[in-house]
Structure formats: C-alpha cells, structure tokens
C-alpha cells in the first residue's frame, strides 16, 4: 500500500452549499477546522478517518450532463438506503433531481451542482 484515501474532493461553484446538501444526505458533520472559508469545505472526520468528503470552489465549472459522454459524470457516489421511496423524497427535498438511468437496485440523481449520485438498495 502506498497510502490511504484522505478525501473525495468534489469541484463545485458553491462548496458550502453543496457540503450542506451532502451533510444532510449522508449524516456527516462539517469539519470547520479542516475547512477554509467558503472555498474549501470538509465533511466527515479528521484525515485518515472515513468517510470524508471535501468540496472546493471551481468557478465556471461545467456540470456533468447524464448520460452525455461529451460532459461525463467525472465521479459519482453510491449511497445505500433502507427505503428508496423515503430516501428519494428526502433527497429531492434537499435539492436533488431525478435523472434517467434507474436500474435494478438503484436510481440516479443529480446533486444541486449537477453531479450524479445513486441511491441504492438491496
């Protein structure tokens, strides 16, 4: 092993707003000591403790356009849920939007900045 995953970093126009969305969606706390104002915002625990998500300001970001290969998703998160209907309602209330691409055991959504993510169930 060369190293351990420190953070998954997501570029976005408004890091604090997108971090708030994922804090509610995943139940991860904001780590203000590891954040830098509104340009770099961290959720989770200290480095080396997972899960950990960081959000950095990227002015002029071209959001992914699912499933258009000209503007690929760049990354996505799979989030396991107990009840898809309840989870979907909560995610939509936070600002997510449903995207095409539902499959067996998952549905695809976009976060408020346009990044795709999946709600998954067994």
């Amino acid at each position: 092993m060369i190293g351990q995953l420190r953070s998954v970093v997501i570029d976005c126009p408004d890091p604090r707003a997108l971090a708030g969305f994922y804090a509610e969606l995943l139940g991860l706390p904001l780590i203000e000591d590891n954040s830098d104002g509104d340009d770099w915002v961290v959720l989770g625990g200290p480095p080396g403790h997972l899960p950990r998500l960081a959000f950095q300001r990227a002015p002029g970001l071209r959001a992914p356009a699912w499933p258009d290969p000209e503007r690929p998703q760049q990354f996505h998160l799979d989030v396991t849920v107990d009840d898809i209907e309840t989870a979907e309602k909560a995610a939509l209330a936070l600002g997510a939007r449903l995207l095409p691409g539902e499959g067996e055991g998952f549905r695809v959504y976009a976060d408020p900045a346009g990044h795709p993510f999946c709600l998954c169930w067994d």
Side-chain angles (χ1 to χ4, degrees):
M1 175 176 72
I2 294 173
Q4 294 180 331
L5 178 65
R6 178 184 178 99
S7 302
V8 174
V9 180
I10 302 171
D11 290 351
C12 57
D14 186 345
R16 195 154 295 273
L18 194 57
F21 170 83
Y22 278 105
E24 290 293 323
L25 184 72
L26 301 173
L28 293 174
L30 173 69
I31 308 300
E32 201 64 63
D33 290 349
N34 293 158
S35 298
D36 184 13
D38 291 334
D39 290 330
W40 176 266
V41 180
V42 178
L43 300 178
H49 292 82
L50 299 177
R52 183 177 159 93
L53 292 174
F55 304 85
Q56 69 180 0
R57 185 173 306 280
L61 176 75
R62 285 185 63 205
W66 176 270
D68 183 354
E70 292 298 316
R71 291 181 45 200
Q73 62 180 324
Q74 302 163 7
F75 89 101
H76 79 270
L77 300 177
D78 287 342
V79 179
T80 301
V81 299
D82 291 328
D83 179 329
I84 184 58
E85 301 306 328
T86 300
E88 178 176 270
K89 286 178 188 174
L92 295 174
L94 289 173
R97 60 188 166 83
L98 184 63
L99 296 175
E102 180 174 346
E104 186 174 330
F106 72 93
R107 289 184 191 160
V108 183
Y109 303 83
D111 68 23
H115 301 103
F117 69 95
C118 296
L119 295 181
C120 307
W121 64 95
D122 295 328

